Amino acid sequence: MRLVTFLARRYVAGDNWKDAAKAISWMNAHGLYATCDMLGENVMKKHKAVRASKRYIHLLEQIDYRQLQADISVKLTQLGLDVSVDFCKENLERILKKARSLGNFVWIDMESSAYTDRTIEMYKFFAHKYGKHVGICIQSYLRRSEDDLRGILSPKLCVRLVKGAYKERKELAFPKKSDTDDNFKHLIDVVLESDAKLLMVATHDEKIMKYAKKRVKQLKVSRKRVEFGLLYGVRRDIQRSLTKHGFRVRVYTPFGRKWLPYFLRRLRERRENFCFSFMSLFHR
């Protein structure tokens, strides 16, 4: 457990917002942007979900007050999706209203496949009203993801592509890394060939990064439409390299005391994640 705690502390910005703000200030000073994740999920009590939504609103206010280059990412189960869809909508809309009023942005995280339909429907519900202030995450290891992505393509779409870190049945998700990687590249093409507003390529896989950069050049896509997303504490050398070549890099920056599910998910579900975690100790 001590080793897990030691490793986790490298990939979580701290127990509270003050710790995270300090880390984000450092990143901003080095040309990096941030996406703040207030750790927590699967909230079953209404008062806890309401409290989480209020904390996210406060977080947006603090980002604005401190003039940080950061947006936020929320998990719908933290906002009460397991309580009811309508209750979750109320909490999410309060956050979106605040983000719009401050000119900021909210990412809707994708959780396990049990929540995929409801998450996409929630995004669709709010996309027309808060289009340039809300985006969604799509997981390339799910077999359904191309259909999901094509169903939400629009000039307002902001999408963060990831591999996926939840354990899923093989009939739902590609069991082989090579198939997930191929699908990731395909989804990159789907977005870049559309008129979507923003694609975030969120991975530490250098082959996929290289592919994305190649396709941006081949398709003559404006770099303003593309960001690269990396996890806090991982491969700062890659972060610097991407920034040097004119790409915006946004660091997924989790904070809070409920770090264990977040951390173990990244180690347990994919063998490559442990390799990234271990090797990153030697790459700064």
Side-chain angles (χ1 to χ4, degrees):
M1 188 63 183
R2 286 184 179 180
L3 177 60
V4 171
T5 302
F6 169 75
L7 289 172
R9 291 302 178 187
R10 180 180 170 87
Y11 307 114
V12 176
D15 288 338
N16 54 56
W17 164 241
K18 187 178 293 186
D19 295 332
K22 183 178 179 180
I24 293 168
S25 293
W26 184 92
M27 288 187 282
N28 288 172
H30 289 79
L32 303 170
Y33 296 74
T35 290
C36 301
D37 173 25
M38 189 175 64
L39 292 170
E41 53 196 89
N42 297 112
V43 171
M44 299 300 296
K45 295 184 178 180
K46 281 190 173 184
H47 74 276
K48 290 186 177 181
V50 170
R51 183 171 62 192
S53 66
K54 289 180 178 179
R55 289 180 66 191
Y56 269 115
I57 289 170
H58 178 68
L59 179 56
L60 287 166
E61 292 171 340
Q62 283 293 303
I63 290 171
D64 183 69
Y65 175 74
R66 295 170 182 256
Q67 296 185 316
L68 298 174
Q69 297 298 314
D71 55 26
I72 68 171
S73 190
V74 302
K75 286 183 172 58
L76 296 185
T77 63
Q78 190 179 20
L79 302 180
L81 186 60
D82 285 323
V83 177
S84 81
V85 171
D86 289 339
F87 174 66
C88 182
K89 280 182 180 178
E90 293 172 3
N91 289 324
L92 179 57
E93 182 152 29
R94 282 194 287 268
I95 297 170
L96 290 170
K97 283 182 178 178
K98 176 57 68 172
R100 183 175 61 184
S101 72
L102 296 174
N104 210 321
F105 190 88
V106 179
W107 287 103
I108 299 176
D109 271 344
M110 189 63 74
E111 302 179 65
S112 73
S113 62
Y115 299 101
T116 303
D117 285 328
R118 283 174 286 175
T119 301
I120 290 173
E121 288 306 311
M122 190 77 72
Y123 169 76
K124 287 180 178 179
F125 182 82
F126 287 116
H128 71 285
K129 188 175 181 180
Y130 299 96
K132 65 179 183 179
H133 299 285
V134 63
I136 189 170
C137 179
I138 294 292
Q139 300 162 324
S140 65
Y141 74 157
L142 291 183
R143 299 177 186 274
R144 60 177 288 173
S145 288
E146 181 179 357
D147 290 337
D148 290 335
L149 183 55
R150 292 190 182 280
I152 57 176
L153 284 175
S154 80
K156 293 181 179 181
L157 175 66
C158 296
V159 60
R160 182 172 78 218
L161 294 182
V162 301
K163 288 193 177 183
Y166 293 84
K167 189 174 183 179
E168 301 287 358
R169 303 190 308 275
K170 63 181 180 180
E171 59 265 29
L172 300 177
F174 299 111
K176 294 182 180 179
K177 177 183 180 298
S178 58
D179 292 331
T180 295
D181 292 351
D182 287 344
N183 197 43
F184 201 131
K185 293 175 182 177
H186 178 60
L187 297 180
I188 287 173
D189 285 339
V190 171
V191 180
L192 292 181
E193 291 171 0
S194 76
D195 56 358
K197 181 180 179 181
L198 177 69
L199 165 66
M200 182 190 289
V201 180
T203 180
H204 298 98
D205 190 321
E206 293 182 72
K207 291 182 180 179
I208 291 179
M209 291 182 191
K210 184 177 180 180
Y211 180 83
K213 289 188 288 185
K214 180 183 74 173
R215 295 299 286 151
V216 166
K217 184 177 182 179
Q218 289 174 339
L219 297 171
K220 298 180 180 180
V221 174
S222 170
R223 294 190 180 187
K224 293 181 180 180
R225 290 182 56 207
V226 181
E227 292 184 353
F228 285 90
L230 293 97
L231 296 177
Y232 178 81
V234 179
R235 296 304 301 270
R236 290 174 183 164
D237 57 325
I238 294 178
Q239 296 172 11
R240 289 191 295 267
S241 176
L242 289 167
T243 300
K244 181 179 179 180
H245 286 87
F247 287 100
R248 176 173 290 189
V249 176
R250 195 171 291 276
V251 180
Y252 192 83
T253 308
F255 69 94
R257 296 179 180 177
K258 297 180 180 180
W259 52 263
L260 190 59
Y262 166 84
F263 181 69
L264 292 182
R265 191 158 56 236
R266 276 153 179 80
L267 296 187
R268 184 179 63 240
E269 307 305 345
R270 296 272 173 182
R271 188 179 306 169
E272 67 192 271
N273 289 329
F274 178 79
C275 295
F276 279 131
S277 298
F278 182 75
M279 291 303 296
S280 66
L281 293 172
F282 305 97
H283 290 84
R284 291 284 184 172

